[in-house]
Amino acid sequence: MSPARPCRGLRVAVAASVGLSEGPAGSARSGRLLRPPSPTPAAPGARLLRLPGSGAVRAASPERVGWTEALRAAVAELRAGAVVAVPTDTLYGLACSASCSAALGAVYRLKGRCEAKPLAVCLGRVADVYRYCHVRVPEGLLKDLLPGPVTLVMERSEELNKDLNPFTPLVGIRIPDHAFMQDLAQVFGGPLALTSANLSSQASSLNVEEFQDLWPQLSLVIDGGPIGDGRSPEYRLGSTVVDLSVPGKFGIIRPGCALESTTAILQQKYGLLPSRGSCL
């Protein structure tokens, strides 16, 4: 990865009821777990918040303040170049600004991940895909698969940071079927780099306790509760990764948790053919 560029971003306190206030960027931080408010004083550097209700479903009006506070906290840290743990529709993930080269490097270091392995990009809307990718499939196909537990690999556009996966002209796009993640991507207003919240080669995480070893290296941990039943191996498969970079064909890079439904849409509805080397 090329030398990190300075990250433009604001470190924001979340006490304000409107907007995001300014603060120093790039300062050292200890890990902070977002949990429900506690009557006892928080430890230095800790914040006690949690997504109300189910993090996969937008909070109802009485709980909206907690939802908004967690959202503002995450956006503030991402804009400051931090790495944040987040729930998705498949696994817990690590997110950072895809436009911040220093944050990208931090993700690789804390996971112990080989820099030749690409990071996915998380977006908030299907319309955003056209800004960051050269799309060569029908719009209906994108809308049939997104949001959902799939990663669609396409040719990247010049809009993406050159330090993001500089070894490949392709990029994997995620729009999780998860309300908080969609809100986060839309409010953040730019592409988020996303990968699973675990050390490389270790099991993926379905609740925040499973990656406690990473907390000290993170800025925030957004606790959205357990994903799935929190235990079954099938919930740890992650998203189905599909290569759509070749017109008229598709390749399954990783079967993931939505293989059957995804291939049915690609083959039966859109007539795409499996490419050579596809792991079907």
Side-chain angles (χ1 to χ4, degrees):
M1 184 172 289
S2 59
R5 297 194 297 268
C7 299
R8 296 185 61 188
L10 301 176
R11 187 155 192 211
V12 181
V14 191
S17 58
V18 178
L20 299 172
S21 58
E22 294 188 3
S27 58
R29 288 177 286 267
S30 59
R32 298 186 297 170
L33 173 62
L34 296 185
R35 290 177 177 164
S38 167
T40 58
R47 295 204 51 201
L48 303 177
L49 292 171
R50 182 179 180 172
L51 289 183
S54 170
V57 179
R58 284 180 179 85
S61 295
E63 299 178 316
R64 192 65 191 177
V65 172
W67 181 279
T68 302
E69 186 174 3
L71 183 63
R72 286 174 173 165
V75 169
E77 294 296 344
L78 291 166
R79 289 181 178 173
V83 180
V84 176
V86 292
T88 76
D89 54 349
T90 57
L91 304 167
Y92 270 87
L94 301 178
C96 73
S97 169
S99 301
C100 179
S101 300
L104 296 173
V107 169
Y108 280 99
R109 287 192 300 274
L110 70 89
K111 279 180 64 79
R113 184 180 177 92
C114 173
E115 291 189 356
K117 292 184 178 180
L119 302 175
V121 166
C122 176
L123 303 175
R125 306 178 183 87
V126 171
D128 297 332
V129 178
Y130 292 86
R131 177 177 178 182
Y132 299 107
C133 294
H134 298 293
V135 180
R136 295 186 174 89
V137 296
E139 182 180 9
L141 187 154
L142 295 185
K143 291 183 175 180
D144 281 342
L145 295 177
L146 301 174
V150 296
T151 300
L152 303 183
V153 177
M154 291 174 280
E155 184 181 351
R156 60 189 286 161
S157 78
E158 295 71 22
E159 288 284 327
L160 285 173
N161 179 5
K162 290 181 172 58
D163 287 339
L164 173 74
N165 310 334
F167 44 82
T168 175
L170 307 179
V171 67
I173 297 296
R174 280 278 275 135
I175 304 180
D177 188 13
H178 192 283
F180 183 79
M181 283 305 297
Q182 291 178 35
D183 283 357
L184 179 61
Q186 290 174 24
V187 174
F188 179 72
L192 297 173
L194 186 65
T195 184
S196 57
N198 57 283
L199 292 173
S200 288
S201 78
Q202 293 190 2
S204 50
S205 302
L206 298 177
N207 60 68
V208 295
E209 288 77 19
E210 292 183 337
F211 58 94
Q212 286 188 45
D213 289 349
L214 297 182
W215 290 2
Q217 302 175 69
L218 301 173
S219 174
L220 294 176
V221 177
I222 304 294
D223 187 356
I227 297 173
D229 66 2
R231 297 182 304 275
S232 299
E234 57 266 26
Y235 285 102
R236 299 184 190 274
L237 296 175
S239 64
T240 296
V241 182
V242 186
D243 185 351
L244 295 176
S245 62
V246 179
K249 296 184 178 181
F250 72 94
I252 301 297
I253 298 173
R254 182 177 71 192
C257 63
L259 177 62
E260 186 174 344
S261 59
T262 300
T263 54
I265 290 172
L266 295 173
Q267 290 181 298
Q268 297 172 19
K269 186 169 183 178
Y270 292 96
L272 272 62
L273 300 174
S275 60
R276 290 185 61 186
S278 179
C279 56
L280 281 174

